[in-house]
Amino acid sequence: LAEDDWLFVLVDSSGLQIYDISSLSSPRFTSGILWHHRGLEDMAKIGDIVFVPSPEHDGVRVIDVSNPWTPRHIVTYTR
């Protein structure tokens, strides 16, 4: 998922990774939130919030990315 100068990527064994893509010729890893993530699912972003499916919790993770250098897990909703 790309927005403005940022790329948000789900990595199977590393959770959410964020890259600065302001220079497409030299993208830079900036930060991430580590968790064991089974399988790669879609994610959605509304404003400064990223929603990531959480199959291990049968729910969704809510991540604040208002500062992409320091993303913050807000809550995991479960059924």
Side-chain angles (χ1 to χ4, degrees):
L1 174 68
E3 183 176 283
D4 300 324
D5 290 336
W6 302 100
L7 177 65
F8 303 88
V9 180
L10 288 177
V11 178
D12 199 30
S13 60
S14 301
L16 177 68
Q17 295 184 354
I18 302 174
Y19 293 84
D20 176 348
I21 57 171
S22 56
S23 173
L24 291 177
S25 62
S26 58
R28 295 184 310 158
F29 173 79
T30 60
S31 62
I33 293 185
L34 179 63
W35 72 81
H36 177 68
H37 184 72
R38 290 185 315 182
L40 300 175
E41 287 89 13
D42 292 332
M43 69 178 119
K45 184 172 182 296
I46 300 173
D48 291 332
I49 304 296
V50 172
F51 300 89
V52 180
S54 177
E56 63 273 15
H57 294 104
D58 195 22
V60 64
R61 293 179 190 272
V62 181
I63 311 295
D64 176 354
V65 293
S66 56
N67 181 347
W69 296 93
T70 57
R72 186 173 59 93
H73 177 257
I74 297 172
V75 68
T76 299
Y77 290 109
T78 59
R79 286 190 203 196

